[in-house]
Amino acid sequence: MTMDAMISTTEIDDIAARLDAAQTGVADIPSLADNQVIPIDAAYAIQSALIARREARGERVTGVKLGFTSKAKMAQMGVSDVIVGRLTDAMRISDGGEVALTRFIHPKVEPEVAYRLSRDVDLDDPTVDIESCVDAVAPALEIIDSRYRDFRFTYTDVVADNTSAAGFVVGPWRPLRDVGNRAVRLRVGGNEVVGSTAAILGDPVRALHALLDMCRRHRISLGAGQIVLAGAATAAVPLVSGVAECEVAELGTVSVTGVRE
Ligand code: 0L1
Ligand code: MG
């Protein structure tokens, strides 16, 4: 076992390959932290290598997502920073569509708010106004599926694992508006949980500012047309067969049906 914080390019590629195989083979792996300390920059490098593997298979990055946007989750992980992951076209499920549960290891679903970028964001421009780079907002669902056994991971583990990103559904877009403090209802099978968009950093619009900061720090590009998942309005709920539906008050509804093939 090595506890050396230094990590080589070869190790970065090896870990990305293991995480990629866990996702494509639907087979979990132990927490990286059981064997190795992964520095945060290396964790984002592993995430980039993982995304490069997806791109090599023909996937396209179509957005970004934020995680750990609730005070409760940050406290649980002992961190004060959000995390950023990448979304690809292969992760997108159409609103009202079906998703095979066999694609995932142990999927959970989160009710979220999505923003749409209307122009490229110049990360090197200190005066950039991120809110003016957004033209639309929509209710959304995120499917998370940690590649780590029992969802047991550290902060850097989960960054390396592309922040558990596995699927997402975006509801009808509306022109950009204030979506702060809106009631949120998530129904999955027979269960219902309620929350508020205030759970997303106090107001989802703050997620845009946090995103800009993280993307600058980790050189993650933000381009016109990309989707931003701002974070979860409630704790994640296991995704089971049947309809999962999220309703954000005065914004709209989005759903997906989990099916066993
Ligand atoms: O908020 C999220 O999208 C979840 C980030 C990853 C943590 C988890 O898998 O629970
Ligand atoms: Mg999420």
Side-chain angles (χ1 to χ4, degrees):
M1 178 191 295
T2 169
M3 297 303 285
D4 189 348
M6 293 295 291
I7 177 161
S8 67
T9 312
T10 309
E11 281 177 298
I12 285 170
D13 285 340
D14 285 352
I15 295 169
R18 285 173 55 210
L19 285 163
D20 193 46
Q23 183 254 317
T24 55
V26 194
D28 59 15
I29 61 171
S31 162
L32 304 176
D34 288 354
N35 291 304
Q36 196 167 22
V37 173
I38 310 285
I40 188 64
D41 287 342
Y44 276 102
I46 294 166
Q47 183 187 120
S48 293
L50 198 55
I51 295 301
R53 284 175 175 269
R54 283 179 171 266
E55 288 176 322
R57 289 196 289 271
E59 292 182 39
R60 242 174 1 98
V61 172
T62 53
V64 288
K65 58 155 284 189
L66 284 177
F68 295 174
T69 46
S70 80
K71 282 208 178 86
K73 191 74 186 186
M74 278 190 198
Q76 184 195 330
M77 297 303 292
V79 295
S80 54
D81 264 341
V82 298
I83 51 176
V84 183
R86 259 63 78 87
L87 304 172
T88 74
D89 55 349
M91 297 180 195
R92 186 160 184 173
I93 305 144
S94 17
D95 185 14
E98 292 187 345
V99 66
L101 298 176
T102 47
R103 267 174 64 173
F104 308 114
I105 301 166
H106 41 200
K108 296 183 188 180
V109 63
E110 300 178 321
E112 302 222 3
V113 165
Y115 290 104
R116 187 175 65 199
L117 294 175
S118 51
R119 51 192 174 89
D120 293 351
V121 180
D122 180 356
L123 300 177
D124 296 319
D125 175 0
T127 66
V128 75
D129 172 9
I130 184 74
E131 290 178 47
S132 74
C133 298
V134 170
D135 69 348
V137 61
L141 286 164
E142 185 186 10
I143 299 172
I144 55 170
D145 190 36
S146 177
R147 271 52 70 164
Y148 301 115
R149 196 153 303 147
D150 303 324
F151 270 83
R152 190 176 64 81
F153 47 70
T154 63
Y155 180 81
T156 52
D157 279 351
V158 73
V159 167
D161 183 26
N162 195 25
T163 66
S164 306
F168 67 100
V169 195
V170 180
W173 291 108
R174 310 258 183 241
L176 183 62
R177 62 191 63 186
D178 174 13
V179 290
N181 207 15
R182 300 280 177 93
V184 176
R185 193 170 50 84
L186 173 66
R187 282 194 301 116
V188 189
N191 292 329
E192 180 170 306
V193 290
V194 289
S196 164
T197 56
I200 306 166
L201 292 176
D203 186 321
V205 79
R206 293 204 187 126
L208 294 172
H209 297 272
L211 176 72
L212 177 61
D213 179 47
M214 292 302 280
C215 289
R216 279 184 172 138
R217 278 152 69 181
H218 300 292
R219 303 312 298 173
I220 295 172
S221 63
L222 295 172
Q226 283 194 349
I227 291 162
V228 175
L229 289 186
T234 70
V237 172
L239 179 65
V240 292
S241 28
V243 176
E245 184 187 76
C246 158
E247 181 184 354
V248 180
E250 296 162 63
L251 185 61
T253 300
V254 56
S255 71
V256 66
T257 299
V259 292
R260 297 204 180 278
E261 284 180 329

